[in-house]
Amino acid sequence: MRLSPRIPGRGCLQAARFFATSVATPRIPQTIIEKVVQKYSVSLPDGKIVKAGDYVMIRPEHVMTHDNTGPVISKFKSIGAKKIFDPRQAVFTLDHDVQNKSDKNLAKYANIEAFARAHGIDFYPAGRGIGHQVLVEEGYAFPYTLTVASDSHSNMYGGVACVGTAIVRTDAAALWATGKTWWQVPRMVKVEFRGKLAPGVTGKDVIVALCGSFNNDEVLNAAIEFTGEGVSALSIDDRLTISNMTTEWGALVGVFPVDDTLLSWYESALTKLEQRTFASKSVPPPPEHPRINRRSLDALRATNLTSDLGAQYSSHLIFDLSTLVPHVSGPNSVKVSTPLPKLESQQIAIQKAYLVSCTNSRVSDIAAAASVVEGKKVAEGVEFYVAAASSVVQAEAEKLGHWNKLIAAGAKVLPAGCGPCIGLGTGLLEEGETGISATNRNYKGRMGHPKAQAYLASPAVVAASAVKGFICSPNSLDATSLPPAGAPVFSIASGSSDAAEVPQAEEPLFPGFPAAFSGRLLFAPQDNLSTDALYPGKYTYQDDITLERQAQVVMENYDPSFAGNVATILPSLSASDESTKSGVVLVSGYNFGTGSSREQAATALKAAGVPLVIAGSFGDIFKRNAINNGLVCLECPELVADLTATYAKGGARGAGGREGELTVDQGHEIRVSMTDGNVTLRGSDGEKTYKVRTVGASVQELWVCGGLEGFILKSIR
C-alpha cells in the first residue's frame, strides 16, 4: 500500500521564475522532486527540509485552467475576491468543448476571455490547442519549476522535467486570490528504465505496459522519478506521453531528468520560436520569448540538479525496455494490457479509430500515423478521427506533408482540442461499437456509450487498425527485430534507500489549532470506501441542502445507521481541556474517499460530528476536499491493521464486523496528539499507543480559518 516515509521540510519565497539551484546543501537527502517543491514552498519554519508526506503551502510558477475557468471565476467571486494576486501566474486555455458552437458555450468562452483581458491574464482561445500542450510549447511548464493545473493530466509536464500536478477548482481560486495553496508532498517512487526500445516500440507502449505490469497500486498517489540508462534513448515526445499517462497509472507526478536530449529539444524549440517572424536591417528583431529564450536555456544548462545520494523512495521499480513489444490497453481498463502480437491474432474488428489528445497527437505521432496510411485508404465501415494537440503542431505537420497524407487516406479532421477523448463533440463511440485510440483513458463510457469497447495503442497501431479494420500492427513493424512477444521484464527492487528514516520533528501548533483530537472510535472495516458511499449521488446536486441535512444522510449508501449512531454518541463526549477537539473519530481502510470529486463527502462527515478521519490511505481528491473544508485526515496503517485483525469478520476488510455490523463500535476512546503524533487507544482490553504524521502549519491554518475559503478571505482582507 501507499506508505511513504514522511519527513519535515524547509522553504523560501521568490516572486520570479527560478531554478531550484539555490537550495543550501541539505542536512537530509532529498529527491529532485523534493528539491523543486522546496523552492516553491512558502511560510515554513526555518531549517526545515521538504520531504515526502509534508504538508506545505506552495506558490507554483503557473496555474492553468481550461473550460473549467468559468466555475473557478464563480468561486473566485463568491469568496469575495476581486483582484488576481499575480496575473503572470495564471494561464487560461480553452480546449475541452471547442466543437460546441452553441450560443451558451460561445458566451461562456467570451466571458472567460473578457475576465482574462480585464485582469491581464495570458489567454489561449479555442483552436489554439490542448492546454497541456500549450503550456509545454510556450514554456509555462519548464524544467525545475512547479506548475499546476485544474486538470488531472498536468502530470504531463514531467516530460520536460517540470513538476506538474493537478489541483481542484477551489485551489485554483485560492491561487488566483492569494498566489498560493496547500499541497501534501507525495511519497517518492523511483522508476528505473533499463535497456533500449526495439524499432517500432514507442513511449505509448511503455506506459501501457507499465499500467498493466505494475497494476496493484504500486504508484498510487506517488511522485515518480524516472531514472536509468534507458531514459536517454527516449524522445521528448515519448517522455511527454509517459508522463501524461502516469495519471492513469495512479501517480500525482511523473518527472523525467534534464539531459542532452531535453536540452537539444529546447534548442530546437527556441529556433522555431525565433523563426515565427524575421528581422533585417530595416526590420528590428522579434521580441524575446518571455519564457523560452537564450537566457533561460543558458541558465538551464548551468543548472545541475539531481537527487541526493541516500534520498528516500517508498519503492524502486525496474522495467527493461529491451524486452518490450507493442502493447494494447483494454478493453475499458488501463490495468489490462496485452502484447499486440497476441491481440492481433484475434482480429478484433473496430468501427472507430482516434489520433487525438494531449497524449499522442504531436508532430512525431502524426508523422508515424501518416507513414502507415500513405497510399492507403481507411477501411470501409471505419471512421478515423484526427486532431492535432495544438495549432502549432498542425501547422508543422501540414508543412511537412504528414497532415495531407492522413486526409488523403480518409481521416476526418477535428479542431485542436480534447473532443472525443473527453467524450465531447463529433465521433463518439456508439452502443456496441469498438474503437482504438491513441488517447489516455479507455474507462467505460468515457469516449461514448457505456456499452462500447475502447482500446488504447500507439499512433502507428491506431492508424494500421483504421486501414485494416481490426486491431493490428503496421506493415512496417519488423517482427524479427522485436523481443519475444511475452510480458516485459519488470521487478521491484528490495530496499529503496540507504538513508535512515528521520522522525518527524515536533513543531509549534498554529494558534487556535487543537493540541489533540479525542472521542469515540468507530471503525468501518472497508477499503475503497467511495464518495458515493459517504454521500449519495442523489443529494449531490441539491444545491439548497443544509449541513444539518447532510449530517443526517452521511454514509447512507454504506451504513444507513451510521448518522444515527453518531448523533447518539455525541452528547456523551466532552473535551478534557480547551485545547482538545472532541467528536467521533472514524477509522477505515485504504483508499478512503475514492471516486468522484463531490465536496459533500467531506462536509457531511464534518457536519455530523466527525472532526477527524484515520485511514490506511486516502483518495487524493477526497483528501483535498476534506482539508479545504476543515476535516482532518491522518494515515495510520498499524491501527487499521490491528482493528481489522481484532474486529473485522474473518480478519479482513470488506465483510463488516465479526457480527456482520457495517460500522464497528466497541466503545473505544481515542486521543490523537497533534504535537507529537501519538495516538492512544483505550478499551476494555487495555491501552495501546500508535504513531501518525500530523498535519503541518499550512493545513492547521486552513482549519482555524474554517477551510480554504476562509483562508482566502483572511488573506485578501
Side-chain angles (χ1 to χ4, degrees), residues 192-197 227-235 239 256 259 319-322:
E192 180 185 352
F193 288 143
R194 295 179 179 175
K196 184 178 180 180
L197 293 176
T227 67
E229 41 97 9
V231 168
S232 61
L234 293 173
S235 71
R239 298 179 193 189
F256 279 86
D259 59 6
F319 192 86
D320 190 341
L321 300 176
S322 68

Side-chain angles (χ1 to χ4, degrees), residues 37-51:
V37 178
Q38 175 90 49
K39 285 300 300 183
Y40 285 91
S41 297
V42 300
S43 305
L44 293 179
D46 290 339
K48 291 193 67 176
I49 302 297
V50 168
K51 294 289 290 181

Side-chain angles (χ1 to χ4, degrees), residues 35 42 126 179 232 549 564 648 658:
K35 289 181 180 182
V42 300
S232 61
R549 179 59 179 155
R658 289 178 301 185

Side-chain angles (χ1 to χ4, degrees), residues 2 6 614-618 623 633-637 692-693:
R2 299 145 308 276
R6 301 185 170 188
I614 299 176
S617 65
F618 291 89
K623 183 188 286 186
C633 298
L634 300 174
E635 295 181 4
C636 189
V692 294
R693 171 165 289 279

Side-chain angles (χ1 to χ4, degrees), residues 352-401:
K352 289 188 172 75
Y354 305 90
L355 177 58
V356 300
S357 88
C358 55
T359 313
N360 270 125
S361 203
R362 283 172 277 279
V363 175
S364 64
D365 303 313
I366 294 168
S371 68
V372 171
V373 304
E374 185 175 8
K376 303 179 180 67
K377 290 291 184 180
V378 173
E380 185 177 350
V382 175
E383 296 174 3
F384 183 22
Y385 293 93
V386 299
S390 74
S391 58
V392 171
V393 167
Q394 182 171 332
E396 186 172 350
E398 289 173 349
K399 180 180 178 181
L400 295 171

Side-chain angles (χ1 to χ4, degrees), residues 227-296:
T227 67
E229 41 97 9
V231 168
S232 61
L234 293 173
S235 71
I236 300 307
D237 283 1
D238 280 337
R239 298 179 193 189
L240 289 167
T241 296
I242 294 168
S243 289
N244 182 290
M245 281 191 64
T246 57
T247 302
E248 281 65 44
W249 198 12
L252 302 178
V253 175
V255 176
F256 279 86
V258 173
D259 59 6
D260 289 341
T261 302
L262 182 63
L263 293 172
S264 296
W265 184 86
Y266 270 111
E267 290 293 344
S268 176
L270 178 57
T271 299
K272 291 175 184 177
L273 288 170
E274 292 173 342
Q275 291 175 348
R276 286 183 177 181
T277 184
F278 66 93
S280 68
K281 290 182 179 179
S282 59
V283 178
E288 180 182 76
H289 191 278
R291 291 164 296 278
I292 301 177
N293 53 59
R294 175 48 53 202
R295 291 181 297 108
S296 65

